[in-house]
Amino acid sequence: MPRRQLGRHLRDLRNRARMTTRMAAQQLEWSEAKIWRIETGQTSLRSLDVEAMCKIYGAPTDLVEPLAALARETKARGWWTAYSDVIPEGFEVYIGLEEAAQQLSTYENELVPGLLQTEAYTRALLAVSRPELSAHEVSRRIELRAARQAQLTRTDQPLRFAVVISEPVLWRRVGPAEVLSGQLTRLRELTELPNVRILLIPADSGYHDGMDSGPFVLVEFPERSAGELREPPVVYLEAFTGPVYLDKEQEIDRYRTAFANIRAAAVDAGPAIEAAARRVR
């Protein structure tokens, strides 16, 4: 998160100074590739380097120190790096965003979202979707998911989670019937959390924006105190070939509108969860 924040602000400063990456690299005596890695949040940075970049970009004096402080934060390692051996490529960025988030708004039409899955559901899903994984790798992935799920029940500002799922998700069996039964029980329990809202798109509903958007997560961050840099929302898409992150204002607006329209077409999931649970008993 600090790397992404820093890179975005430095890119904005460079653009305001009407400098290309080549011009900036020449003045700093760096490669263009280094500028690109910094601006895309792929590398940590020394505060002295940030000060040098701010100088050539003509940054306002009162912005230099906050950016230098942010550079010092880029050296920190998140708790999830302990699971780097089982984190899919590119997904560590999402975990960092999720960790810093205040609110997640999710639409899912195929599976129970990861933050709501039971261990048995996750294990059964991995058995069919990733049969090449060893028992150790499966256990490590389940541990990682459990650590992420703890954000929903932490005592200090638990993560707010609004999720809309398609009704067939409640019927779709992943593993034996008891796995689905246990998952439905978990969903009933989670609906009682004040920070979790689970809604449902009925199977007989008409058109809604989720049919075009597909599954997505809108990640939103806390408001900052005066003088602090604020992180804008991000949309995460889990594409077949890897994660996609969208952060342009028009992209965020489009997905925010889509979620509002999807939510308007949804109903409370409680009755459908109860009905599905009775069928699998």
Side-chain angles (χ1 to χ4, degrees):
M1 175 65 77
R3 290 200 304 265
R4 286 173 60 87
Q5 289 178 319
L6 181 59
R8 187 181 63 257
H9 287 289
L10 290 172
R11 180 193 63 211
D12 290 345
L13 286 172
R14 177 179 59 75
N15 287 334
R16 287 180 196 147
R18 299 183 181 278
M19 295 181 67
T20 65
T21 55
R22 175 173 294 182
M23 293 165 62
Q26 288 175 343
Q27 291 203 37
L28 292 162
E29 297 184 354
W30 295 346
S31 67
E32 287 186 69
K34 180 174 180 177
I35 300 291
W36 181 80
R37 288 195 300 271
I38 290 170
E39 292 185 354
T40 55
Q42 297 187 41
T43 184
S44 58
L45 202 59
R46 300 183 306 165
S47 57
L48 289 175
D49 292 333
V50 169
E51 291 169 4
M53 296 177 79
C54 286
K55 183 177 180 180
I56 70 165
Y57 296 157
T61 304
D62 60 354
L63 188 59
V64 177
E65 179 49 37
L67 290 178
L70 199 54
R72 290 188 283 272
E73 290 183 38
T74 66
K75 304 292 184 181
R77 291 167 60 86
W79 60 263
W80 54 90
T81 58
Y83 296 93
S84 58
D85 57 318
V86 292
I87 296 177
E89 184 178 356
F91 190 64
E92 74 283 351
V93 173
Y94 175 76
I95 298 177
L97 296 171
E98 184 182 81
E99 175 74 10
Q102 180 181 59
Q103 165 91 30
L104 300 182
S105 301
T106 299
Y107 170 66
E108 177 56 65
N109 62 358
E110 293 294 341
L111 298 166
V112 174
L115 287 182
L116 306 181
Q117 291 179 11
T118 64
E119 176 181 335
Y121 187 99
T122 302
R123 194 177 292 276
L125 179 60
L126 289 174
V128 293
S129 65
R130 298 297 304 276
E132 75 279 6
L133 295 178
S134 68
H136 174 71
E137 289 172 320
V138 169
S139 294
R140 292 275 289 162
R141 288 186 178 223
I142 288 172
E143 288 175 17
L144 172 62
R145 180 156 292 176
R148 291 173 50 217
Q149 291 173 343
Q151 297 172 103
L152 297 176
T153 54
R154 64 193 178 201
T155 55
D156 182 25
Q157 297 181 328
L159 178 65
R160 298 203 301 260
F161 192 33
V163 56
V164 181
I165 58 177
S166 292
E167 188 172 4
V169 171
L170 302 181
W171 312 336
R172 183 166 294 116
R173 291 203 176 184
V174 176
E178 57 266 25
V179 172
L180 181 57
S181 178
Q183 180 62 69
L184 293 169
T185 298
R186 170 67 63 83
L187 290 176
R188 284 205 307 269
E189 294 169 350
L190 289 168
T191 59
E192 298 176 2
L193 294 178
N195 56 305
V196 176
R197 178 75 163 136
I198 304 176
L199 297 172
L200 189 83
I201 295 289
D204 60 354
S205 69
Y207 171 83
H208 58 87
D209 281 5
M211 294 178 177
D212 287 333
S213 71
F216 65 89
V217 183
L218 172 61
V219 186
E220 298 180 272
F221 305 94
E223 294 289 340
R224 300 291 185 181
S225 302
E228 290 188 302
L229 302 173
R230 185 178 184 277
E231 181 69 9
V234 177
V235 169
Y236 168 74
L237 307 175
E238 192 169 321
F240 187 63
T241 55
V244 176
Y245 300 93
L246 307 176
D247 59 6
K248 293 184 174 63
E249 186 174 351
Q250 64 269 28
E251 295 168 336
I252 299 301
D253 288 344
R254 187 165 184 179
Y255 276 93
R256 197 191 299 280
T257 299
F259 188 77
N261 292 339
I262 293 168
R263 189 165 183 165
V267 298
D268 182 78
I273 293 173
E274 291 289 349
R278 288 194 295 270
R279 283 200 300 269
V280 297
R281 285 183 187 136

